[in-house]
Amino acid sequence: ETGVTQTPRHLVMGMTNKKSLKCEQHLGHNAMYWYKQSAKKPLELMFVYSLEERVENNSVPSRFSPECPNSSHLFLHLHTLQPEDSALYLCASSQGQGLAIHEQFFGPGTRLTVL
Amino acid sequence: ILNVEQSPQSLHVQEGDSTNFTCSFPSSNFYALHWYRWETAKSPEALFVMTLNGDEKKKGRISATLNTKEGYSYLYIKGSQPEDSATYLCASRDNYGQNFVFGPGTRLSVLP
């Protein structure tokens, strides 16, 4: 138990569906991250929020839309996804401001399958 | 874009053996280097965050060194145990603050 929770743990959706992934951290951290782990590819940073402001966007397609309503919660809204978006989506949090200054604590991930 | 490489891709050792593997990253505009351990069916777990050239960090039987001038970090495991079996990931951030890139990982299997 890392203090970072994610729901749902598994999600199957069609290409026309809209769904959201949720992440919550109970560690009092200031920064939260979304990562994508595709099969046989390195872990890829998608978005970073630090003190509720986005500080990084790695040219992720607009069908992925992050939302950070407060420092403890992070959402990833999904719409009109493609089968190649099927992957493990990991959330993480860390102390401090900015990108990757401190160690990150990861959630268990959401395994997403797009049909 | 940062390119972070790790070698070897996978490694099998006997229980009790010591082992090490490498993370390579661009030395220019270096800011920070992270090491994580990722066990199957679990979340990645932070091992070290290193920023200074020549830095050495240790956590139990695991230690790491950092050479920012030549762009590499070594992770050492002394007296490997079966519970050390995992994928070991490194990630590098540059000084521009816009890139934080993970390597592909080294998959370690420790045989009893």
Side-chain angles (χ1 to χ4, degrees):
Chain A
E1 194 59 52
T2 63
V4 180
T5 59
Q6 289 186 244
T7 55
R9 295 292 305 275
H10 300 272
L11 179 62
V12 179
M13 60 186 289
M15 290 190 285
T16 58
N17 291 160
K18 288 185 180 182
K19 297 286 185 183
S20 295
L21 309 184
K22 179 183 176 181
C23 177
E24 185 173 358
Q25 59 96 1
H26 311 275
L27 301 169
H29 288 166
N30 291 323
M32 296 186 76
Y33 309 74
W34 278 118
Y35 288 92
K36 177 182 179 183
Q37 170 84 81
S38 301
K40 300 187 178 180
K41 287 187 177 181
L43 203 56
E44 177 188 357
L45 178 63
M46 300 177 72
F47 300 104
V48 182
Y49 275 85
S50 177
L51 294 176
E52 300 164 40
E53 292 186 11
R54 186 189 301 181
V55 298
E56 169 73 18
N57 183 339
N58 255 355
S59 301
V60 175
S62 59
R63 57 185 182 268
F64 295 91
S65 175
E67 179 190 359
C68 188
N70 55 62
S71 59
S72 299
H73 295 85
L74 184 64
F75 295 90
L76 188 62
H77 303 299
L78 318 170
H79 63 96
T80 60
L81 294 191
Q82 304 298 309
E84 60 264 29
D85 296 322
S86 298
L88 179 69
Y89 289 84
L90 287 167
C91 172
S93 71
S94 69
Q95 291 180 328
Q97 303 178 39
L99 174 62
I101 299 171
H102 299 281
E103 63 182 4
Q104 295 175 30
F105 292 77
F106 284 82
T110 295
R111 174 69 63 184
L112 174 67
T113 303
V114 182
L115 302 177
Chain B
I1 296 180
L2 283 181
N3 186 32
V4 178
E5 299 177 350
Q6 292 187 248
S7 63
Q9 183 177 6
S10 64
L11 192 55
H12 292 79
V13 301
Q14 289 294 134
E15 181 176 356
D17 288 349
S18 294
T19 187
N20 65 85
F21 23 92
T22 306
C23 173
S24 302
F25 52 88
S27 57
S28 60
N29 299 303
F30 169 84
Y31 184 88
L33 191 286
H34 293 221
W35 280 103
Y36 291 86
R37 173 171 59 200
W38 196 355
E39 295 179 62
T40 302
K42 293 188 177 181
S43 310
E45 173 194 357
L47 291 173
F48 308 110
V49 177
M50 308 172 79
T51 57
L52 300 175
N53 184 45
D55 207 3
E56 291 189 33
K57 293 207 171 182
K58 187 175 181 181
K59 183 183 285 189
R61 293 179 292 99
I62 303 177
S63 60
T65 61
L66 180 66
N67 184 323
T68 62
K69 295 189 183 306
E70 297 182 40
Y72 65 85
S73 175
Y74 292 139
L75 190 79
Y76 300 90
I77 302 178
K78 184 178 178 181
S80 302
Q81 300 296 309
E83 58 264 32
D84 295 328
S85 297
T87 296
Y88 290 81
L89 301 172
C90 70
S92 180
R93 180 198 143 168
D94 66 16
N95 212 14
Y96 296 119
Q98 296 299 313
N99 289 301
F100 182 59
V101 176
F102 275 84
T106 292
R107 188 176 188 90
L108 174 67
S109 297
V110 181
L111 307 173

